[in-house]
Amino acid sequence: DAGVTQSPTHLIKTRGQHVTLRCSPISGHKSVSWYQQVLGQGPQFIFQYYEKEERGRGNFPDRFSARQFPNYSSELNVNALLLGDSALYLCASSLAATSGSSYEQYFGPGTRLTVT
Amino acid sequence: AQSVTQLDSHVSVSEGTPVLLRCNYSSSYSPSLFWYVQHPNKGLQLLLKYTSAATLVKGINGFEAEFKKSETSFHLTKPSAHMSDAAEYFCVVSVSGGSYIPTFGRGTSLIVHP
């Protein structure tokens, strides 16, 4: 079975531009979460979606938005890019959005975003 | 509120010697605790998890962690380090009630010398 896939792998954007990152969860997983990992730090939670509804939001500005599609894939959008948005963006999928073994998250390889 | 502190940014061991990566957490409710490993240019992989069952948790690749509520700790151990264990390790805490929003530690870089 395919794992979590993310596209693109790498991306270079200019300040002020907009970017869309994509994630396909493991087949059968209904929950997708997005994380930002700045170099040298642990991942920071951005969003969680379950059954196409937002179930959690981290401490990120409104420039960050996301959505989940009927096939459970997801997009993360970032507007008005800043230099500080340069990071590895990770997507994780799970069967469910709450506790227990069904919450175990499986991570994709990430999208490396560089803002110049 | 919840938080997690990984007490060492770097841990250096020799191949074949024990590994100890330390993690302390803070949580208002009963936590779920996880350890993830991240190899260079790879995604995060779950090593093990604690979700209010046995306090000694066994994971993949010979790793173990013990949940100690009195010490608010969840340290990761392995009896004998292997060169392939060299990676970044993250301790994660999340709590029940609505959605699970996990909090990651800053990470511990494990260096294994031959």
Side-chain angles (χ1 to χ4, degrees), chain B residues 45-61:
Chain B
Q45 181 183 21
L46 180 67
L47 279 177
L48 48 80
K49 61 187 177 187
Y50 166 77
T51 54
S52 74
T55 56
L56 182 62
V57 182
K58 294 185 184 298
I60 62 171
N61 301 336

Side-chain angles (χ1 to χ4, degrees), chain A residues 5-89:
Chain A
T5 59
Q6 293 185 246
S7 62
T9 307
H10 297 86
L11 202 51
I12 299 175
K13 290 286 190 177
T14 304
R15 275 176 298 176
Q17 285 188 317
H18 162 271
V19 69
T20 297
L21 310 181
R22 295 177 175 84
C23 171
S24 291
I26 291 172
S27 177
H29 284 194
K30 298 182 178 180
S31 176
V32 169
S33 297
W34 287 96
Y35 296 82
Q36 181 195 65
Q37 186 177 18
V38 174
L39 196 62
Q41 296 185 20
Q44 274 199 290
F45 173 82
I46 310 175
F47 287 110
Q48 182 188 57
Y49 276 78
Y50 179 68
E51 289 280 16
K52 302 181 289 295
E53 290 189 4
E54 183 183 299
R55 295 293 296 271
R57 173 185 283 256
N59 188 24
F60 280 82
D62 292 343
R63 299 185 296 108
F64 289 76
S65 64
R67 55 180 176 167
Q68 188 176 33
F69 298 100
N71 66 353
Y72 302 109
S73 67
S74 178
E75 282 183 354
L76 174 70
N77 295 284
V78 187
N79 293 325
L81 285 167
L82 303 174
L83 294 179
D85 295 331
S86 295
L88 180 68
Y89 288 84

